Structure formats: structure tokens, C-alpha cells
Amino acid sequence: MIQGSLVAIVTPMHPDGRIDEAAFRKLIDWHIEQGTDAIVAVGTSGESATLDEKEHCEAISLVVEHVAGRLPVIAGTGANSTSEAIALTACAREAGADACLLVTPYYNKPTQEGLYQHHKAVAAAVDIPQILYNVPGRTAVDMLPETVARIAELDNVIGVKEATGKVERITQIRELCGPDFAIYSGDDATAREAILAGANGDISVTANIAPAAMHAMCAAALAGDRDKAAELDAPLAGLHQKLFLESNPIPVKWAVAEMGMIERGIRLPLTWFADRYHDELRAAMKHAGIL
């Protein structure tokens, strides 16, 4: 089971929106050096919604190829069309990803039965470990713990990223799905408490700019050391908040660029981080010891 701090890695881009492959490779190497436990490629933070299917598959392949087995790679392959989710998941399997992360179909607002049938279809079509991803704040649909448990009965569904920020959801899912089902927090602000409550790790935005600190905090929480985890998390608390001053990944791409690791590239309809927020996020980065 993959545990710890799993970075929801940004997709570096040139100012004209083209994917910056050289920067991507350097960023991957840096995360490995810093102790990141796994890379989640082309998820929300990786601008999955602005990449076309060919680019999406190429980005997954780049990450898998460059990581070269040094740590696990989870590919974001969710879509609001079941057929597209199957196609992207097949690409990830062909590329050699260790698992896939599939967001609940967004905008469509499917029923709980629709969510089950969607994931059943993807699981049946592509033989690769699959992780569910519940983020109702972005998708307008909430996958309930009972539905997670039902989908978890499918052979290749191995876990869930729960991004409601409700720690009690972690407890509910653990009780329903048992000890062998992977549960990941998708909310940095509550990740420490989520892990202490039984989650296996955090699929993290903050880890894009503080990978070593997030790895250490998650490791302490996984070891059950509540005091040490709280001590390590305290300097990061500002980042957990300020990285969402505008929609993710707008602030985090600015922060990674501020560290000199990527160019100022993002794709419409996302725009570059507004000037009026720079001082707030920069102060949080300084407090965390990043700048």
C-alpha cells in the first residue's frame, strides 16, 4: 500500500501554455530527492481539465518514464465521460503507471447508482489498481461512504482520495471498507488529523512546495505520534490555507515559479495568480521556511 505524502504535482508550462518537459523532469527529480512518497500526475493540480487526451497520455508517460521506478506513480485518469475515463485509464496502464486516480464525474451530477456504474465500467475495462476521488466542492457530486464501500468490492478498486475535509468521513470509510482499503486525505488542512484517524496518507497540494516537510509530517502521523505531527504541521498551516486564495492550481503554480522551478505558465480558463494575493502567500512560504 502506498503511504505518506503523495504530491499532486503541477504540470510545468511555458508562458504560451506548452508543457515544459525539461522543467517537469527536474521537478520530478527534486521531489524524489526531497522524500516525496509518490507522485500523482495530471490530477487537478496538474491541470487535467485543460489538457487534451493526447497531452494527458503523454504527460503520464513522461512521469512514469522519468521516475523509472524510483517511487510509485499514480495517474489522474478521471473524466465526466465514462468512455473518456476508460481511454485515459488504458493510457496509464500502457504507460506503466502503478495506479490510477479517478475523480467522480463532474458537472453531470450523477446519482450514487450512476457513480457505482461508472466505476464498475472503468474497473471492468482496464486491469489496473484504481483509486476513487471524491471532491464535491469541485464536481458538484458527493460520493457517500456507503457508495465508496460498494465500489470497493470491485477487485481492482484499492482506495479513495477523500477531499471533503471532514475527518469523520475517514472513520466512516475505514469502518465500512476495512483495514486493507487505502484512504488518502485530499485536504491538506485536515490531513494530519485524517491520518491520525486512520488515513494512509495525503494527496497533497502543499507538497508541491514543501515536500520534505509534508513527508515528515505524514510519517509522524502514520507512526501515531500526535505531538510530533502537530509540531511539524504548524509551520505549514498558512500554506494549507493560502494555497487556496484562488482556485487550485493557480496559487501553487505561482509559488513553484516563485521558487524558480517553473516558468509562469498556466492555461485558460485559469489565469496567473492575482498580484493582490502575492504578499499573503509569500509570507506563508517564509513562515514555512521555503523562502
Side-chain angles (χ1 to χ4, degrees), residues 75-192:
T77 60
N80 60 350
S81 159
T82 302
S83 61
E84 183 180 353
I86 289 171
L88 292 172
T89 304
C91 280
R93 183 182 185 279
E94 184 176 343
D98 296 284
C100 291
L101 178 69
L102 291 109
V103 70
T104 53
Y106 44 88
Y107 186 78
N108 297 330
K109 299 178 73 172
T111 63
Q112 298 299 304
E113 180 64 23
L115 292 174
Y116 174 77
Q117 294 296 339
H118 169 82
H119 284 289
K120 181 181 179 182
V122 180
V126 190
D127 184 18
I128 188 172
Q130 296 171 25
I131 300 167
L132 314 174
Y133 176 13
N134 185 43
V135 57
R138 296 191 76 122
T139 63
V141 61
D142 186 6
M143 182 185 291
L144 300 178
E146 294 78 12
T147 303
V148 173
R150 186 181 176 201
I151 301 170
E153 294 177 2
L154 301 170
D155 287 343
N156 48 343
V157 174
I158 63 164
V160 64
K161 175 184 176 182
E162 173 55 55
T164 58
K166 299 176 181 177
V167 176
E168 61 269 23
R169 279 287 183 94
I170 305 298
T171 305
Q172 288 177 293
I173 294 168
R174 177 61 70 216
E175 289 176 352
L176 288 167
C177 297
D180 298 327
F181 189 69
I183 305 173
Y184 303 104
S185 170
D187 177 68
D188 284 315
T190 57
R192 169 172 50 90

Side-chain angles (χ1 to χ4, degrees), residues 4-27:
S5 176
L6 293 64
V7 64
I9 197 167
V10 299
T11 299
M13 295 175 182
H14 297 290
D16 63 4
R18 290 178 297 115
I19 294 175
D20 186 343
E21 294 189 6
F24 214 165
R25 294 176 187 278
K26 289 179 182 178
L27 203 57

Side-chain angles (χ1 to χ4, degrees), residues 28-37 207 209-216:
I28 290 165
D29 288 337
W30 180 67
H31 276 288
I32 293 170
E33 292 164 5
Q34 291 288 307
T36 292
D37 295 292
I209 58 173
M214 285 300 297
H215 165 77

Side-chain angles (χ1 to χ4, degrees), residues 2 16 30 49 89 132 142 149 166 182 212 218 235 238 243 246 262 267 272 278:
I2 301 168
D16 63 4
W30 180 67
T89 304
L132 314 174
D142 186 6
K166 299 176 181 177
C218 290
L243 285 171
E246 291 187 320
I262 62 173
R267 286 190 182 177
W272 198 243
H278 290 189

Side-chain angles (χ1 to χ4, degrees), residues 44 47 62 66 103 135-136 146 173 190-191 202 231 243 250 252 262:
T44 305
E47 289 177 77
L62 181 151
H66 194 73
V103 70
V135 57
E146 294 78 12
I173 294 168
T190 57
D202 178 30
E231 179 184 348
L243 285 171
I250 293 171
V252 73
I262 62 173

